[in-house]
Amino acid sequence: MSTSEDSLITTEVSSERTGRSDRPDETVLAARDLDVYYGDERALASVDVEIPEHKVTAIIGPSGCGKSTFLRCINRMNDQIAVCRVDGDLSFHGKNVYDDDVDPVALRRRVGMVFQKPNPFPKSIYDNVAYGLRIQGFDGDMDARVEEALRGAALWDEVKDQLDSSGLDLSGGQQQRLCIARAIAPDPEVILMDEPTSALDPVAASKIEDLIDELAEQYTVVIVTHNMQQAARISDKTAVFLTGGKLVEFNETAKVFENPDEPRVEEYITGKFG
Amino acid sequence: MSTDTNPGPGITGDAAATDAKQRNKRARQVLFGCAAFTVLTTLAIFFVLIDNAVSYFYGARATEMIFLGVEPQSAVGLIEFLNVRELLAGEARWAPEHATPSHNAWPIIFGTLAITVGAAFVSIPIGTATALYVSEYASPQVRSKLKPTLEVLAGIPTIVYGYFAIAFINPVVLGPIAGLFGINIGRYSMLSGMLVVGIMTIPMVSSISEDAMQAVPDDLRNGAYALGATKYDVSVSVVTPAAISGIFASYILAVSRAIGETMAVTLAAGFNANITANPFSEIMTMTAYMVSMARGTSAIGTIEYQSLFAVGLVLFCMTLVMNLLNDWFKRRFQEEYR
Ligand SMILES: Nc1ncnc2c1ncn2[C@@H]1O[C@H](COP(=O)(O)OP(=O)(O)OP(=O)(O)O)[C@@H](O)[C@H]1O
Ligand SMILES: [Mg+2]
């Protein structure tokens, strides 16, 4: 990361994205006073945030500040962690996902997720992409949906002749795009990405970045990243968490990177802290 | 190892290094000795088996023929031993000690296969389901109780299972059921043998399968959960296929165990060699035959006594096939996840 004051992260790419930013913000996800505990340890402290529809929202912050925890709250993947407890409100289209009548399985079918480490199933490429639809009992034209998802993940041309070969035979970057295809195949509304490029080389990473840009046309994307330039390049809005699980700044990406309200955020972005 | 130029301390051999080398060498010799002992014992068993089995078919042991020049004579022909025509005609009889002896082994081969297949129908579904429950469904507390229980089950001596069959399964469970069909169940029955061997091998299937399932990385589970998979979806369509090679290995081990199982099956299924479809009738497995022959009255060296080794050889071949199958499965369904 840069260390001098005057080399604040460039936001030139971000300003290209005004086309999308022009639309009025429609809130899809809203956290209100959200606390998360692992046992007695608090990982998120009264987080308030409103995530707009069809935008890319980046979440940045130092290691251990609760970025992944926040992401896992949204699709209730925290349910898998026995010691994890969530307090407060996290609403999806106005409905608190922690209400008793919410089925996490149904929620996750509308909120897809891509993980840090590519994790394709040890199945064929086709079966990987079809998995989500199959478990939902989809009985339409599967071939078409698989192709659509692979095209959406910019992977179709590379794999169209080897759909039957194992997803594990692909390169890391291809595997991650396969995971993206797998996530978008059931046509969710929101896609959560937890450092999706951190295990990839720069070329593969930049392919994914281009892809995220396109995905935002159709989906609401929330992406955790450690890469400031990446956040600046691809996101419309940026949320900055700092140690202690506090959300200290949430604003237009350009604003966060050029002129943050919080001095600590500026320090973090310029690499003086964290 | 030493060179002209000294590259620095600790690289060329000083006294301490020479000492360490010596120790290393001795350890190597001891370990090799133990490994060699194991291999030699196995070879010796195999050798004795073959040597004696030869005398069943040719009237003299292979060693006797080679070293003492004993002429081979035909004793029991291989055709007689595995006579398929008699088998198909329903006339196969295994009665080496009978006044009119008959050496057709199919009835006891049938006994072993019937018990093995029947036991597999018990142990494979229940063992796999148990493994899935322990690995995927059970809470950590339940798992920490269930796993040791299964291990205890695996450690119960087989004779205890045998008495369980003779004192409980056969009279209490199967007796009344047989009664419904108007059959008077005896002390032993084929079904009792199938059940008890099946129950015995459940822990083998469940614990090895469960290990394989636990080895499936959580990344894969999370990937499926994040797509809206239920626990059932994850168990059936992610964990099981990913762990399939270990699961198959557990099946093969359980089947091998069932083939070779002796004590429990002898007490449960009985000593009456016959090919039957009636699950309530007494049968005899190859192992049961070997037990009864070894403790019987036939003199060592007689043809009836030597049949022990011929039957043993068949048993050995069966387990060998299972081992080869295991190797093949392992290669074919290598754990693919990384
Ligand atoms: N499964 C868990 N059990 C217990 N504590 C956890 C668990 N996962 C996270 N934590 C704790 O919660 C806090 C936030 O973790 P989290 O993984 O959300 O951070 P992060 O911002 O994603 O960090 P990184 O950038 O390193 O991925 C940390 O203090 C961590 O120790
Ligand atoms: Mg994280």
Side-chain angles (χ1 to χ4, degrees):
Chain A
M1 234 62 342
S2 60
T3 46
S4 70
E5 275 277 85
D6 51 3
S7 65
L8 271 178
I9 305 307
T10 168
T11 53
E12 42 172 343
V13 185
S14 195
S15 51
E16 261 176 35
R17 303 161 52 80
T18 43
R20 208 160 58 227
S21 307
D22 284 346
R23 292 194 216 160
D25 282 1
E26 186 94 27
T27 301
V28 194
L29 289 160
R32 249 176 299 277
D33 206 12
L34 186 74
D35 288 317
V36 177
Y37 301 85
Y38 292 105
D40 294 330
E41 191 197 340
R42 180 143 90 167
L44 287 182
S46 39
V47 170
D48 286 287
V49 67
E50 291 189 345
I51 291 170
E53 191 167 26
H54 295 306
K55 296 271 169 74
V56 178
T57 301
I59 298 177
I60 60 174
S63 186
C65 67
K67 305 180 296 294
S68 301
T69 300
F70 177 69
L71 215 57
R72 286 198 303 262
C73 280
I74 299 175
N75 64 347
R76 288 188 57 173
M77 285 297 280
N78 279 332
D79 291 11
Q80 302 300 127
I81 300 168
V83 293
C84 183
R85 204 178 84 241
V86 178
D87 272 350
D89 236 40
L90 200 155
S91 54
F92 177 50
H93 289 298
K95 171 79 181 159
N96 185 3
V97 302
Y98 287 93
D99 280 351
D100 288 341
D101 59 345
V102 170
D103 178 9
V105 167
L107 172 70
R108 290 176 199 144
R109 289 176 181 185
R110 296 176 64 188
V111 182
M113 188 170 213
V114 176
F115 298 79
Q116 175 171 5
K117 196 169 142 251
N119 58 349
F121 302 127
K123 299 175 187 290
S124 71
I125 291 170
Y126 185 99
D127 288 343
N128 262 283
V129 181
Y131 186 84
L133 288 165
R134 286 206 178 119
I135 57 174
Q136 295 182 22
F138 175 77
D139 59 359
D141 186 352
M142 186 66 87
D143 290 358
R145 292 292 291 269
V146 168
E147 176 173 345
E148 190 190 18
L150 284 168
R151 283 190 191 282
L155 189 60
W156 175 253
D157 291 331
E158 287 159 68
V159 302
K160 61 171 185 270
D161 299 323
Q162 51 173 106
L163 293 176
D164 288 333
S165 63
S166 170
L168 294 171
D169 293 343
L170 299 174
S171 73
Q174 288 175 321
Q175 285 189 12
Q176 194 62 304
R177 277 179 284 150
L178 178 61
C179 291
I180 292 173
R182 187 175 73 180
I184 62 178
D187 206 23
E189 288 172 53
V190 179
I191 300 173
L192 310 174
M193 298 182 160
D194 194 349
E195 304 183 44
T197 63
S198 66
L200 305 179
D201 70 89
V203 175
S206 89
K207 275 197 183 144
I208 305 257
E209 284 183 17
D210 294 346
L211 182 57
I212 290 168
D213 204 55
E214 282 166 33
L215 290 177
E217 303 288 330
Q218 277 192 62
Y219 306 98
T220 301
V221 179
V222 185
I223 177 172
V224 170
T225 177
H226 269 293
N227 182 329
M228 301 297 154
Q229 286 93 339
Q230 183 175 69
R233 273 196 300 268
I234 64 174
S235 70
D236 303 292
K237 290 207 144 197
T238 297
V240 187
F241 284 75
L242 290 182
T243 314
K246 292 202 180 64
L247 177 70
V248 291
E249 178 134 4
F250 178 58
N251 225 321
E252 301 296 328
T253 296
K255 168 95 170 75
V256 172
F257 281 94
E258 278 159 11
N259 184 20
D261 291 335
E262 272 275 332
R264 281 184 300 162
V265 170
E266 182 161 340
E267 283 170 22
Y268 172 66
I269 288 173
T270 53
K272 281 188 185 153
F273 160 75
Chain B
M1 285 299 262
S2 67
T3 51
D4 294 347
T5 53
N6 188 344
I11 295 183
T12 53
D14 50 16
T18 319
D19 236 34
K21 230 179 184 168
Q22 280 293 325
R23 236 177 301 131
N24 188 28
K25 199 171 160 192
R26 242 174 293 128
R28 192 191 152 94
Q29 284 164 346
V30 169
L31 296 179
F32 175 80
C34 291
F37 177 76
T38 314
V39 172
L40 287 178
T41 316
T42 312
L43 285 178
I45 290 173
F46 187 55
F47 177 78
V48 170
L49 195 60
I50 300 249
D51 188 36
N52 281 283
V54 164
S55 85
Y56 177 68
F57 294 112
Y58 296 103
R61 282 186 282 124
T63 39
E64 288 175 328
M65 290 191 274
I66 295 164
F67 298 113
L68 305 174
V70 179
E71 285 293 313
Q73 61 201 76
S74 66
V76 177
L78 202 56
I79 308 250
E80 189 183 348
F81 187 61
L82 296 172
N83 192 323
V84 176
R85 195 172 307 142
E86 278 178 15
L87 168 70
L88 296 179
E91 289 161 1
R93 254 178 77 231
W94 176 252
E97 289 178 296
H98 199 266
T100 48
S102 170
H103 290 270
N104 190 325
W106 283 113
I108 55 173
I109 295 176
F110 164 82
T112 293
L113 291 180
I115 294 291
T116 303
V117 171
F121 271 98
V122 175
S123 64
I124 287 178
I126 297 181
T128 312
T130 306
L132 273 175
Y133 177 74
V134 174
S135 165
E136 303 302 311
Y137 285 81
S139 65
Q141 296 97 300
V142 174
R143 182 181 312 159
S144 68
K145 301 232 165 31
L146 213 53
K147 279 199 78 166
T149 311
L150 285 168
E151 266 140 41
V152 168
L153 220 55
I156 294 176
T158 61
I159 181 85
V160 176
Y161 280 103
Y163 276 103
F164 177 61
I166 226 172
F168 180 73
I169 297 183
N170 207 51
V172 179
V173 180
L174 298 180
I177 299 175
L180 293 180
F181 295 96
I183 299 168
N184 203 348
I185 204 163
R187 189 194 268 259
Y188 310 108
S189 73
M190 172 157 80
L191 192 54
S192 167
M194 291 169 168
L195 291 176
V196 78
V197 175
I199 292 167
M200 257 176 68
T201 45
I202 288 172
M204 194 170 256
V205 173
S206 66
S207 85
I208 295 171
S209 295
E210 200 251 349
D211 286 346
M213 291 169 186
Q214 283 289 300
V216 174
D218 274 342
D219 285 359
L220 293 184
R221 291 187 182 85
N222 287 336
Y225 281 126
L227 285 164
T230 60
K231 220 160 217 180
Y232 178 79
D233 294 326
V234 173
S235 304
V236 171
S237 61
V238 175
V239 175
T240 304
I244 199 71
S245 99
I247 294 173
F248 272 145
S250 81
Y251 295 170
I252 287 173
L253 267 167
V255 167
S256 302
R257 174 81 188 277
I259 291 174
E261 171 44 37
T262 306
M263 213 57 237
V265 89
T266 307
L267 289 182
F271 301 92
N272 184 7
N274 79 87
I275 298 177
T276 174
N278 176 2
F280 301 110
S281 74
E282 179 179 354
I283 58 163
M284 180 157 73
T285 62
M286 293 191 279
T287 49
Y289 170 73
M290 292 171 76
V291 170
S292 67
M293 175 52 68
R295 54 180 279 280
T297 51
S298 295
I300 293 175
T302 58
I303 285 195
E304 21 327 352
Y305 187 82
Q306 293 306 100
S307 68
L308 203 58
F309 297 97
V311 174
L313 197 61
V314 175
L315 212 50
F316 178 83
C317 291
M318 281 184 172
T319 41
L320 191 67
V321 167
M322 295 314 294
N323 275 333
L324 295 176
L325 212 58
N326 193 14
D327 281 353
W328 181 80
F329 268 131
K330 254 200 210 131
R331 250 176 294 122
R332 176 73 184 70
F333 298 100
Q334 202 49 254
E335 259 92 359
E336 279 186 43
Y337 51 80
R338 287 155 202 168

